Amino acid sequence: MSIISEFKAFAMRGNAIDLAVGIVVGAAFTGIVNSLVRDVINPPLGLALGGIDFSNFFVVLNGAGPYSTLKEATDAGAVTLNYGLFINTLINFVIVALALFVVVKQINALTAPRVVEKPGDPPPPEDIRLLREIRDALKDGKP
């Protein structure tokens, strides 16, 4: 099999296509989450904390003069430690993790097999009922 035909077989597998779609959707989702954090969550959070803007939390490392904003410091060529931007990134991560948790939980709930006994099903055999009683008694801690 030639390299081109192997690559074609690899690229056309369902997993590769699913991965490509996931990456594109993930990139779009990242933009949405960044906007959510930057434009919706951080302003009220900063207001609640006394008008604080996390993106302007930084420490100048090279001892240059005082700067009131991060942009002012970077424009002056100062070396800065931008811990406020790190806080924003942590908030982004928590929101993405929470959103993915909710999505995966919902998908699992929708795809979980459901065992429903039909009313016309015969009762389980005696040995199965006895084993179920023993299991339930052990769960309840009864001897």
Side-chain angles (χ1 to χ4, degrees), residues 3-67:
I3 291 178
I4 294 173
S5 61
E6 284 183 48
F7 178 75
K8 182 179 176 186
F10 166 77
M12 291 314 199
R13 283 194 338 217
N15 294 345
I17 302 298
D18 290 344
L19 180 62
V21 169
I23 289 171
V24 170
V25 170
F29 188 70
T30 299
I32 292 170
V33 170
N34 285 336
S35 176
L36 176 69
V37 170
R38 181 181 60 245
D39 303 328
V40 176
I41 293 176
N42 281 347
L45 185 61
L47 184 63
L49 295 175
I52 296 172
D53 180 13
F54 288 116
S55 63
N56 279 319
F57 284 8
F58 64 97
V59 174
V60 179
L61 297 177
N62 64 353
Y67 303 105

Side-chain angles (χ1 to χ4, degrees), residues 119-134:
D121 287 345
E126 181 65 30
D127 57 344
I128 298 296
R129 281 190 282 156
L130 181 60
L131 288 172
R132 286 181 183 169
E133 288 176 16
I134 292 170

